[in-house]
């Protein structure tokens, strides 16, 4: 990505986005950038908020299909993210935090909704609950 003419976008951010986009098929890059920029502009970073905050080129269903059934690898993108961190952060030791969070759902139709063991041992919840498992990387 050439940062010329976009003086308000930091050059480093353009480099990072370009570096991450290299892990994706060429036809997925535009969708990825739209969702990434939209997620960065929202307080929570959810896809729905990203779609609403940026004027997107496509209909909502196109982004849903790209996320759910697209021909791109989230593992490849994760590896590229780790490569970026190793390249940019010049530390001898880098701490990587991976967390799984269970978001409770009532609907069986919610994407990725399954029965999970509720390992938080909360007294007001059953041992097994329906929900979506979100994995966060920091």
């Amino acid at each position: 990505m050439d940062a010329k003419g976009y003086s308000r976008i930091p050059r480093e951010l353009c480099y990072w986005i370009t570096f991450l986009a290299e892990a994706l098929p060429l036809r997925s890059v535009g969708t990825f950038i739209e969702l990434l920029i939209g997620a960065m502009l929202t307080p929570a970073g959810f896809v729905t908020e990203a779609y609403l905050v940026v004027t997107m080129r496509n209909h909502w269903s196109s982004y849903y299909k790209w996320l759910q059934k697209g021909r791109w690898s989230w593992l490849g993108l994760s590896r590229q993210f780790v490569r970026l961190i190793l390249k940019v952060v010049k530390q001898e030791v880098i701490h990587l935090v991976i967390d799984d969070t269970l978001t409770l759902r009532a609907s069986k139709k919610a994407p990725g909704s399954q029965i999970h063991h509720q390992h938080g041992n909360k007294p007001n919840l059953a041992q097994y609950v329906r929900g979506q498992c979100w994995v966060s990387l920091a």
Side-chain angles (χ1 to χ4, degrees):
M1 176 181 270
D2 184 14
K4 279 187 174 179
Y6 298 95
S7 60
R8 296 177 192 200
I9 300 174
R11 181 176 298 278
E12 199 68 20
L13 179 60
C14 288
Y15 170 74
W16 294 346
I17 291 172
T18 303
F19 189 85
L20 291 174
E22 289 173 1
L24 299 170
L26 188 57
R27 66 182 298 185
S28 293
V29 172
T31 303
F32 168 72
I33 291 174
E34 285 178 334
L35 289 173
L36 180 65
I37 298 295
M40 288 191 297
L41 294 174
T42 65
F46 292 117
V47 174
T48 309
E49 290 177 345
Y51 182 79
L52 295 173
V53 78
V54 176
T55 305
M56 299 289 197
R57 296 174 299 146
N58 301 317
H59 189 269
W60 163 251
S61 62
S62 299
Y63 299 96
Y64 171 78
K65 287 177 186 174
W66 182 78
L67 288 168
Q68 291 295 316
K69 302 171 186 171
R71 296 185 184 262
W72 61 280
S73 169
W74 66 270
L75 287 173
L77 187 59
S78 299
R79 284 186 203 104
Q80 190 75 345
F81 177 71
V82 171
R83 284 185 202 106
L84 176 65
I85 296 301
L86 293 173
K87 193 173 187 178
V88 172
V89 178
K90 305 294 184 193
Q91 296 288 330
E92 205 168 294
V93 176
I94 297 174
H95 298 278
L96 181 65
V97 179
I98 301 174
D99 181 45
D100 65 326
T101 303
L102 188 62
T103 304
L104 300 179
R105 296 288 181 237
S107 172
K108 293 179 182 179
K109 294 181 179 180
S113 177
Q114 297 176 357
I115 301 295
H116 297 275
H117 179 260
Q118 189 268 115
H119 57 270
N121 295 325
K122 295 181 180 175
N124 61 335
L125 291 177
Q127 188 175 4
Y128 293 93
V129 293
R130 174 167 295 283
Q132 294 169 307
C133 186
W134 297 88
V135 178
S136 304
L137 174 69

